[in-house]
């Protein structure tokens, strides 16, 4: 599994309420993305930076989403280009379901 951290600087700061409304518009499109386990929408405390943390089954699955078209969509919607950093996620603690998940399981 891998985690992708996507970030972009907003042209204007957002409140949490504004961000929730904007993010809710795009959330349904991620429900059926192949290989995506979980997505967290993110907003910095000062409201100046937004993004997402994505948990993927594989780097190949992530590459299917982070295309030039997707980057252009982000730039058009939020007014700035995203940066993407990938991390290996060999162990995940999931307190919601009460499990420790390892990459080889």
């Amino acid at each position: 599994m891998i985690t992708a951290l996507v970030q972009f600087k907003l042209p204007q700061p957002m409140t949490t309420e504004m961000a929730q409304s904007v993010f809710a518009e795009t959330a349904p499109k991620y429900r059926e993305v192949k290989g995506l386990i979980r997505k967290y929408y993110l907003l910095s405390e000062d409201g100046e930076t937004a993004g997402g943390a994505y948990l993927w089954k594989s780097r190949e699955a992530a590459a299917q989403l982070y295309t030039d078209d997707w980057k252009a969509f982000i730039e058009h919607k939020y007014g700035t280009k995203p940066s993407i950093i990938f991390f290996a996620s060999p162990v995940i603690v999931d307190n919601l379901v009460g499990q420790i998940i390892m990459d080889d399981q």
Side-chain angles (χ1 to χ4, degrees):
M1 292 177 288
I2 66 159
T3 297
L5 181 58
V6 174
Q7 296 183 88
F8 44 90
K9 190 84 168 156
L10 295 169
Q12 298 288 327
M14 278 191 193
T15 65
T16 302
E17 293 77 18
M18 290 168 54
Q20 185 176 36
S21 176
V22 170
F23 296 160
E25 293 173 9
T26 61
K29 77 182 253 176
Y30 292 97
R31 298 263 314 168
E32 302 299 324
V33 173
K34 185 177 178 184
L36 180 63
I37 298 169
R38 182 168 284 158
K39 175 181 179 176
Y40 296 89
Y41 284 86
L42 306 174
L43 181 67
S44 63
E45 288 184 357
D46 63 9
E48 294 181 359
T49 303
Y54 300 72
L55 180 61
W56 293 97
K57 291 183 179 179
S58 68
R59 175 75 192 255
E60 294 76 25
Q64 297 297 309
L65 178 68
Y66 304 131
T67 63
D68 289 341
D69 286 344
W70 179 85
K71 292 173 186 174
F73 166 76
I74 296 297
E75 185 173 9
H76 181 263
K77 183 159 185 71
Y78 298 104
T80 186
K81 292 182 180 182
S83 69
I84 306 169
I85 302 171
F86 294 96
F87 299 88
S89 300
V91 178
I92 297 166
V93 176
D94 190 329
N95 289 330
L96 188 61
V97 297
Q99 292 182 344
I100 295 175
I101 304 160
M102 293 197 223
D103 205 16
D104 63 346
Q105 295 179 342

